[in-house]
Amino acid sequence: MNPIPTRDAAARRRATMLRRIGAIAVAAAAVFGYQRIVNSAEPMRTVPAPTLDETPGASHDETAVFAGGCFWGVQGVFEHVKGVKQVTAGYAGGASETAHYALVGSGLTGHAESVRIVYDPTQVTYGRLLQVFFSVAHDPTELNRQGPDEGSQYRSAIFPTTAQQRTVATAYIAQLGGAHVFPAPVVTRVEAYKGFYPAEAYHQNYLELHPDAPYIAFNDLPKVAGLKQHFPALYRADPVLWREARL
């Protein structure tokens, strides 16, 4: 996920290459064991639920936008959360003109790789989504990076789409910091929502389409396993996959 020239074409070549060596990744996982896979990903922990959460209204369609490193894994996690209707990988924080993989990878656009989550607040609240985000989807103590990926485009950020979401997110970060849940300070930023721009189609459902890719196997599949382990009541085995027609 590090930026390189002609990134769209390079990403397609990379995907082809990853599929070819996918069998090697599976064999390696078998040799070194599940613990090796877990140790290569961001650390996971069950953090306390927010003491302040949204009050669901009559709507059954709310939108949350989170940034937590490479969007492949973050999308993959939330596609397995009950009450979530759709998760789209994309870009937030910058202008529409620069919302392209090749440009975002430069780290100069203001964008962060993000996910847009459409969810039913009567089934899963914004606060519960935040709890999953901070527990298993990423490491909120890493500044401008996640795992092997570096740059501001991989920052930890929340883009509230309503005033209530901003209040809940800000209070939750303060709650986690005051409780010293993590061994280092939480660096997650609550940023102004300027819009969300879906990523190119070949990035969507990447975890589900390429489970044997080494990057996915070592960095992202443990996050889904962590969701199942830490949030069994929220976990759904069959993911709700992105569909272009629903954008």
Side-chain angles (χ1 to χ4, degrees), residues 10-130:
R12 293 190 182 94
R13 291 196 298 270
R14 179 186 180 192
T16 300
M17 183 263 301
L18 292 178
R19 284 194 295 270
R20 291 175 179 172
I21 64 175
I24 298 176
V26 174
V31 172
F32 294 108
Y34 180 76
Q35 189 61 45
R36 171 66 184 86
I37 295 177
V38 171
N39 289 341
S40 68
E42 292 88 13
M44 288 176 283
R45 67 193 72 234
T46 303
V47 302
T51 55
L52 177 66
D53 203 346
E54 69 177 342
T55 303
S59 174
H60 288 269
D61 288 290
E62 298 290 344
T63 301
V65 178
F66 302 148
C70 175
F71 43 33
W72 294 344
V74 182
Q75 182 188 43
V77 167
F78 284 103
E79 285 182 334
H80 282 274
V81 173
K82 293 178 181 177
V84 168
K85 295 184 172 184
Q86 179 177 256
V87 188
T88 304
Y91 314 106
S96 60
E97 295 80 7
T98 58
H100 303 283
Y101 193 51
L103 298 177
V104 172
S106 71
L108 302 175
T109 65
H111 281 294
E113 290 197 9
S114 308
V115 296
R116 179 180 63 194
I117 305 165
V118 178
Y119 66 100
D120 183 346
T122 66
Q123 296 186 38
V124 60
T125 65
Y126 185 70
R128 287 288 274 171
L129 294 178
L130 285 174

Side-chain angles (χ1 to χ4, degrees), residues 95-184:
S96 60
E97 295 80 7
T98 58
H100 303 283
Y101 193 51
L103 298 177
V104 172
S106 71
L108 302 175
T109 65
H111 281 294
E113 290 197 9
S114 308
V115 296
R116 179 180 63 194
I117 305 165
V118 178
Y119 66 100
D120 183 346
T122 66
Q123 296 186 38
V124 60
T125 65
Y126 185 70
R128 287 288 274 171
L129 294 178
L130 285 174
Q131 188 182 15
V132 170
F133 179 61
F134 282 101
S135 295
V136 300
H138 84 307
D139 182 352
T141 69
E142 293 194 323
L143 181 63
N144 292 330
R145 65 169 297 137
Q146 281 294 306
D149 302 316
E150 299 184 24
S152 61
Q153 68 272 29
Y154 300 114
R155 66 187 181 272
S156 174
I158 300 168
F159 299 89
T161 60
T162 67
Q164 185 175 212
Q165 286 186 359
R166 174 171 291 277
T167 299
V168 171
T170 302
Y172 193 37
I173 292 173
Q175 175 189 338
L176 296 178
H180 303 290
V181 173
F182 298 95

